[in-house]
Amino acid sequence: MSLATPVSRLLSRVPALWTSGPLRESLFYALGLIATRAVSLLMLPVNTHFLSVSDYGRLEVLLALADVGAVVFGLALPTTLSRFVGAVEAWDERRKVCAHVFAVAILTSGLLAVIGFAAAGEIARLLPGDPDALEVRLLVGTLSMEGILGVGLTWLRIRGAAGTFFTLSIGRAVLFASLSATLLVMGYGLKGVLAAGATAALAQGLACSLVVLRETGVRLKGIEWGPFTLFSGPLLLSALAMFALGSLDRWFLADAVGTAELGIYGVAVRLGAMTAVLLQPFHMWWFPKRFIVLNEPFGVPRSAHVVGIGLVIIMVSAMAVSLGGPLVLELMTPPAYHPAIYLIPWIALIYGVQETSSLLELGSYLRRDGFIPLATNLFGAAVVVTLYWLLIPPYGVAGAIAATLTAQVARTILVHVVSQYYKRLPYDFGRLGLVLAVAAASTAVCFLFLKGAWIFAGGVVAVPLTAATAYALGLLSPYRPPAQGEAG
């Protein structure tokens, strides 16, 4: 029986208003993410108990490699699938597009996996932190599923198959956690964690492939390589540029401050990244459908309103992570990791700015190529690499945070300006600015007057206050098109 079945039965008892359409899908995504992240949080004390601060820092170096590897193996195929599916109306044609993109994913994943296994030794020698070839090969095993899973899970989201998505996601999380904990207890250390990740990814990839193959099949004949390459090629380079904004700082820091301090920073990043995670139910519903919605009647104002809801979610999420992170850190990690408490709000802010950019970039993807996202991301990458080079050697972790935040803000401004040029959306920045002011001021007050885990107590007041402000300003209400007499 599917894991989603009891969840479906539970939701069936909720009034139809709350279980129809987008909200029902988002509830499934939310339940899946809550479950998977709960498993991840439960693994935090296990990992920090069995891995030293230095080992955790080495894991951060390898995870940075995983980030850039995920970009290469993914080949921007999920965004390509969403874009080309959104360009056709009939579901038979959409299935044909998915079959073509899925074929590309299978071919490229196999080729890149062979290259990765063969080059593992040389890659290991180039990385800081002294990883070995086996660790790199275990990462390649995980990464080999990136393109296949990216296409498969995006197709499920396009179809609204949130229950299947939920089952596949929670299954992978539980399998990874159980294998990882077992191998750590048995003394396999970092290699055990990596082996568990590869096994879970392969299992999820196989299950997802069976679902997609049943629905769309796979078609090599008739693939439009030119349009796919023209769109996904620049997006791939664009995503590689985003690696500089996301994980490259680990490699700079490994040389500048060593793996022990990098381990503390890595724990702060794990918690701060929950800002992006909390947006994911909204993200998973909205992103595959945003091009379809934009072309519907009243699509432009509706898209702007939906993005506004997403921006409020980002603000509330960043606050929740900033003010709740210290309590989680003190309860779940050894004292050696507790200096990360005062890094968490800055990491949450960085992720908040990054997710803001992703919501504002809709216009950048309306061309038939991916060169606009490439240009904006290359700009951000150039800024951040320059700042890393200038700030990390003298200031360490503080320099990395300042550099990343500055570059993310600069990139977000550019993304918004360019996107508005291609498609002007009427965002309500006035009311959104009021919510941001409440969020920033109340978070600052909590950190100024409370210490350690007690910061959480301030969050109990500050987070609902910010959400209530957004609600009172009408930012969270459903979009209603103007009456016929008001239109125009």
Side-chain angles (χ1 to χ4, degrees):
M1 182 174 64
S2 168
L3 286 172
T5 302
V7 178
S8 297
R9 289 175 180 169
L10 176 63
L11 293 179
S12 68
R13 300 176 184 175
V14 182
L17 173 65
W18 298 101
T19 58
S20 60
L23 186 56
R24 182 180 183 279
E25 292 177 39
S26 292
L27 283 172
F28 259 121
Y29 296 140
L31 288 171
L33 282 166
I34 289 169
T36 54
R37 290 298 165 171
V39 171
S40 178
L41 276 178
L42 288 173
M43 286 302 298
L44 183 61
V46 177
N47 288 336
T48 53
H49 177 77
F50 287 99
L51 297 176
S52 67
V53 176
S54 181
D55 283 340
Y56 207 99
R58 196 155 61 94
L59 176 61
E60 283 297 311
V61 171
L62 289 166
L63 290 178
L65 174 63
D67 286 344
V68 69
V71 171
V72 174
F73 277 80
L75 292 171
L77 292 177
T79 304
T80 302
L81 176 63
S82 298
R83 178 66 179 84
F84 281 87
V85 162
V88 295
E89 295 184 2
W91 277 101
D92 285 343
E93 288 299 310
R94 291 174 177 174
R95 290 187 181 92
K96 184 177 178 181
V97 170
C98 182
H100 285 159
V101 179
F102 198 58
V104 174
I106 292 172
L107 289 174
T108 54
S109 292
L111 176 62
L112 290 170
V114 170
I115 295 172
F117 273 94
E122 187 60 33
I123 294 171
R125 282 190 288 273
L126 293 173
L127 293 175
D130 298 322
D132 60 40
L134 176 58
E135 292 168 345
V136 173
R137 289 192 176 98
L138 290 170
L139 271 184
V140 170
T142 301
L143 295 171
S144 65
M145 291 293 103
E146 280 295 323
I148 292 170
L149 284 170
V151 173
L153 295 176
T154 299
W155 173 250
L156 293 178
R157 288 155 55 196
I158 290 171
R159 274 226 307 101
T164 305
F165 187 101
F166 170 86
T167 301
L168 291 172
S169 300
I170 190 64
R172 175 176 178 171
V174 171
L175 179 60
F176 168 69
S178 57
L179 282 176
S180 181
T182 301
L183 292 172
L184 282 171
V185 171
M186 293 173 64
Y188 286 95
L190 183 54
K191 288 183 175 62
V193 175
L194 297 172
T199 303
L202 291 168
Q204 187 191 27
L206 177 60
C208 187
S209 296
L210 293 175
V211 173
V212 176
L213 289 173
R214 186 175 66 244
E215 293 194 3
T216 72
V218 57
R219 297 187 185 187
L220 283 170
K221 185 177 180 180
I223 293 177
E224 297 180 344
W225 292 99
F228 281 176
T229 303
L230 184 64
F231 187 77
S232 64
L235 290 184
L236 171 60
L237 296 175
S238 175
L240 287 172
M242 281 301 294
F243 163 72
L245 284 159
S247 301
L248 185 61
D249 58 344
R250 293 359 173 246
W251 292 350
F252 276 86
L253 287 167
D255 287 332
V257 302
T259 54
E261 190 170 345
L262 179 57
I264 295 171
Y265 177 64
V267 169
V269 170
R270 290 288 159 270
L271 291 172
M274 294 297 292
T275 301
V277 172
L278 293 174
L279 181 69
Q280 287 305 299
F282 174 87
H283 197 295
M284 290 176 176
W285 163 73
W286 172 240
F287 267 54
K289 301 177 182 181
R290 54 185 175 160
F291 299 111
I292 297 174
V293 170
L294 187 65
N295 292 316
E296 293 175 344
F298 301 103
V300 170
R302 183 187 174 195
S303 295
H305 183 79
V306 171
V307 169
I309 293 173
L311 294 174
V312 172
I313 295 172
I314 290 172
M315 291 182 233
V316 173
S317 299
M319 288 185 68
V321 170
S322 298
L323 300 172
L327 178 63
V328 173
L329 196 66
E330 289 202 358
L331 289 177
M332 302 187 74
T333 65
Y337 291 91
H338 291 178
I341 285 176
Y342 295 98
L343 300 178
I344 294 173
W346 296 106
I347 304 297
L349 178 59
I350 288 170
Y351 276 99
V353 175
Q354 176 180 296
E355 294 306 313
T356 296
S357 175
S358 73
L359 288 180
L360 297 177
E361 68 185 2
L362 181 58
S364 299
Y365 287 91
L366 293 178
R367 288 167 46 124
R368 296 295 295 180
D369 58 62
F371 286 104
I372 296 300
L374 173 59
T376 55
N377 288 349
L378 284 174
F379 166 77
V383 173
V384 83
V385 170
T386 301
L387 292 176
Y388 285 161
W389 181 68
L390 292 173
L391 298 179
I392 287 181
Y395 300 110
V397 168
I401 291 173
T404 306
L405 181 57
T406 301
Q408 288 284 16
V409 170
R411 174 181 167 273
T412 298
I413 293 171
L414 179 62
V415 163
H416 174 62
V417 171
V418 172
S419 293
Q420 289 291 88
Y421 173 81
Y422 284 100
K423 176 65 73 171
R424 183 169 180 79
L425 298 180
Y427 300 119
D428 194 345
F429 285 130
R431 287 185 290 176
L432 287 167
L434 290 175
V435 178
L436 178 60
V438 172
S442 55
T443 302
V445 166
C446 291
F447 273 91
L448 282 172
F449 293 99
L450 299 171
K451 301 296 180 184
W454 287 103
I455 294 170
F456 173 79
V460 172
V461 176
V463 174
L465 174 64
T466 302
T469 302
Y471 180 80
L473 291 172
L475 292 170
L476 299 178
S477 60
Y479 174 74
R480 292 183 177 86
Q484 187 172 3
E486 302 173 43

